[in-house]
Amino acid sequence: MYADRVTDSMASAIEETERRREKQIAYNEANGIDPQPLRKRIADITEVLAREGADTAEMLSKKGRSGKGKSPTPQLRREGIAAEGAEQLEATIGDLSAQMLAAAEELKFELAARLRDEVQDLKKELRAMERAGHA
């Protein structure tokens, strides 16, 4: 907190924070807990994101698509509204996957993780469409 003087509400908030901190420290000591910060190596995170990107590339290549908005190959031509939905879903998956990998390269891992989760959800949806015969 930044201020010229400590107000009553600030003092109350600081006091409550200290009370909770003391309580947590006592609990940790009583239960033999030594809190450690989360230490994930950047290589671990980028490896997971790279695997997700590779899975997406493989999924889209099986469809005859690159995820860049290209038309499906002739042998995979689709028809009807469901087919249009599947093709749009594939394009969205490809775009989000590219954004995910770019975010990871820029070390924006929280954004990359959110994009990864979205890509995984969309892939589940696409696979469900395929099982139902709509893609």
Side-chain angles (χ1 to χ4, degrees):
M1 290 187 217
Y2 298 96
D4 293 337
R5 63 184 181 84
V6 177
T7 64
D8 291 340
S9 58
M10 289 171 63
S12 177
I14 292 168
E15 185 178 304
E16 179 63 15
T17 300
E18 288 299 319
R19 184 190 71 78
R20 291 180 184 187
R21 181 175 291 127
E22 288 171 8
K23 191 173 183 177
Q24 184 67 57
I25 289 170
Y27 176 85
N28 290 351
E29 288 175 356
N31 292 288
I33 298 171
D34 181 22
Q36 297 292 319
L38 181 61
R39 290 189 175 99
K40 262 195 167 181
R41 296 180 322 179
I42 290 176
D44 293 342
I45 297 167
T46 55
E47 181 181 315
V48 168
L49 295 172
R51 278 197 312 263
E52 185 64 37
D55 178 62
T56 298
E58 180 182 344
M59 175 187 226
L60 297 179
S61 70
K62 286 180 182 177
K63 300 274 181 227
R65 299 191 45 102
S66 67
K68 301 290 184 204
K70 295 181 182 175
S71 299
T73 56
Q75 69 268 24
L76 294 174
R77 182 165 278 122
R78 299 169 168 155
E79 296 178 11
I81 294 171
E84 290 176 20
E87 290 174 6
Q88 180 60 42
L89 199 52
E90 289 174 359
T92 301
I93 289 169
D95 291 342
L96 290 177
S97 185
Q99 290 176 33
M100 174 191 71
L101 295 173
E105 285 180 18
E106 295 172 12
L107 306 180
K108 296 178 181 177
F109 297 116
E110 288 181 26
L111 174 60
R114 284 195 303 271
L115 290 166
R116 176 205 59 211
D117 295 344
E118 183 68 22
V119 166
Q120 288 174 341
D121 290 343
L122 292 174
K123 285 199 269 188
K124 285 179 191 174
E125 189 175 326
L126 182 61
R127 287 179 177 128
M129 288 176 75
E130 289 171 344
R131 284 191 300 274
H134 295 297

